[in-house]
Amino acid sequence: MPERVMKYGGVKFRNLVPPVKINRFVNKLPHHKKDSLFEVASELSEAGLIKILNEREHSTIDQDLVDDLSSES
């Protein structure tokens, strides 16, 4: 399957299953696991439906700064 680049965040990935299976999986995810594209990509990767191709760990600003922002309050 062709390599894809997620529109937001620039995370490169390869589908390991047809897109219809990915869509079904995402549709069944609980709402709180669909808060960000980062979370969806992580779930898809952990389920073995996609392979993340970036050599770096993907993250979001929100995930990275939660602790910093919490401590400033």
Side-chain angles (χ1 to χ4, degrees):
M1 296 202 188
E3 180 177 316
R4 307 275 188 209
V5 177
M6 291 184 185
K7 184 175 179 182
Y8 301 99
V11 177
K12 291 183 182 181
F13 69 97
R14 178 174 293 122
N15 289 6
L16 300 177
V17 299
V20 72
K21 288 188 177 186
I22 291 173
N23 290 339
R24 284 185 194 139
F25 179 85
V26 172
N27 286 335
K28 291 179 183 179
L29 284 174
H31 183 69
H32 70 277
K33 293 202 175 199
K34 294 191 273 187
D35 287 339
S36 72
L37 191 54
F38 169 80
E39 289 179 84
V40 172
S42 296
E43 292 293 326
L44 289 168
S45 179
E46 288 174 21
L49 302 177
I50 65 172
K51 178 178 179 177
I52 304 292
L53 300 175
N54 293 41
E55 293 299 319
R56 62 180 174 77
E57 206 173 296
H58 60 286
S59 66
T60 64
I61 292 174
D62 293 341
Q63 293 285 339
D64 292 342
L65 295 179
V66 167
D67 291 335
D68 292 339
L69 294 173
S70 298
S71 64
E72 289 180 12
S73 300

